[in-house]
Every structure is written in structure tokens, then in C-alpha cells.
Amino acid sequence: MAKLPGKYELAENKNFYEYLVELGVPEDRAKNAKEVKGTLEVKVDGNKVTLANDNPPHTTDYIIGQEVDEKMGEAVLKSTASLNGNVLTISTIRDGKPSGTRTYTFSDSGLEIVFNSSKDGKSLSASRIYKRI
């Protein structure tokens, strides 16, 4: 778990705008989300992993293996985190149905978050790449 904690700065988005639009996010909000540059701080305390974004400000505490409520915009999701080495996976349920995963792969130089969802039977994915600061 040594590679997880730290501060990370967003360096690149891959297919993020398109992913958000496909999920139904209004284009103006998707464009704003794509343009946001900020940092993500990751803290680990036992089985608790805290992810804190500074722009927009948003913090969520995940307990490995336990479902937690996670606020995303106006929705409250049920999310469960699992940890396998330097890979943190967060599986999310919305309205009682699986809605996707976020896979955080940590390295000495940074972090890549891969978003996977499906809508109307179509698989959707995007990624955000962060450098460790």
C-alpha cells in the first residue's frame, strides 16, 4: 500500500468528455469537468482510504470491503472499494443497479483512473492520468 498515499495533479484526460456525455451529463457540465485541472490527495489509515479532490472540492472516505454512501452531484451512490496491491477499485450501485467501476492504478510516478460503465447495453470507458507531486 506504500504507493497509494500522496498528492496527484491531473495531467491528461482520455475520452473523458465523451464518456460523460454518453452517460447523460449535459454537454456544458461535461466540458467544464473535462477542463478542470486540480489535485487529488490520497490518504490511507488502516482499511480507510480517503480521496480528496480540491477542484471541485469533494472528499469521500472508503472502507475496504464495506459499502459507503458517495455523493456524486445530486445523486447518492452506494460504493464499495477493494484493494489488490497498488490497484484500488470502486464499484458503484445507483438506484439498486450496478452503475460502473473506477479503477485507480498507482505507481511511483502517478496514478491512472479508468472509468467503466454501460448505458443501454453499450460499454463506456474513459481515463484520467495524474502525476505524483
Side-chain angles (χ1 to χ4, degrees):
M1 241 199 267
K3 291 184 181 178
L4 274 67
K7 258 193 164 174
Y8 302 87
E9 182 176 60
L10 181 62
E12 181 181 358
N13 288 308
K14 292 183 180 178
N15 200 46
F16 192 61
Y17 168 80
E18 296 82 359
Y19 173 81
L20 294 174
V21 170
E22 286 282 340
L23 285 176
V25 173
E27 288 188 26
D28 60 333
R29 285 184 49 209
K31 183 178 181 193
N32 286 342
K34 180 186 94 164
E35 299 298 325
V36 166
K37 298 292 184 196
T39 60
L40 171 67
E41 185 169 9
V42 179
K43 295 179 183 177
V44 178
D45 182 11
N47 280 341
K48 181 171 86 170
V49 178
T50 301
L51 302 178
N53 287 294
D54 70 347
N55 189 14
H58 180 80
T59 300
T60 304
D61 292 326
Y62 300 94
I63 308 299
I64 302 301
Q66 293 182 20
E67 186 175 86
V68 298
D69 288 341
E70 179 179 13
K71 190 165 167 88
M72 285 282 189
E74 297 174 15
V76 177
L77 311 174
K78 301 291 185 182
S79 297
T80 304
S82 63
L83 184 61
N84 184 6
N86 290 325
V87 178
L88 175 70
T89 302
I90 300 171
S91 301
T92 302
I93 296 172
R94 182 177 184 165
D95 300 326
K97 300 176 189 169
S99 69
T101 60
R102 285 168 281 152
T103 304
Y104 296 69
T105 303
F106 295 85
S107 68
D108 289 334
S109 60
L111 157 67
E112 180 176 15
I113 307 171
V114 176
F115 302 83
N116 288 298
S117 295
S118 63
K119 185 173 182 186
D120 302 326
K122 180 180 178 183
S123 293
L124 308 172
S125 67
S127 66
R128 301 187 102 182
I129 298 169
Y130 291 76
K131 65 179 179 178
R132 190 180 290 270
I133 54 174

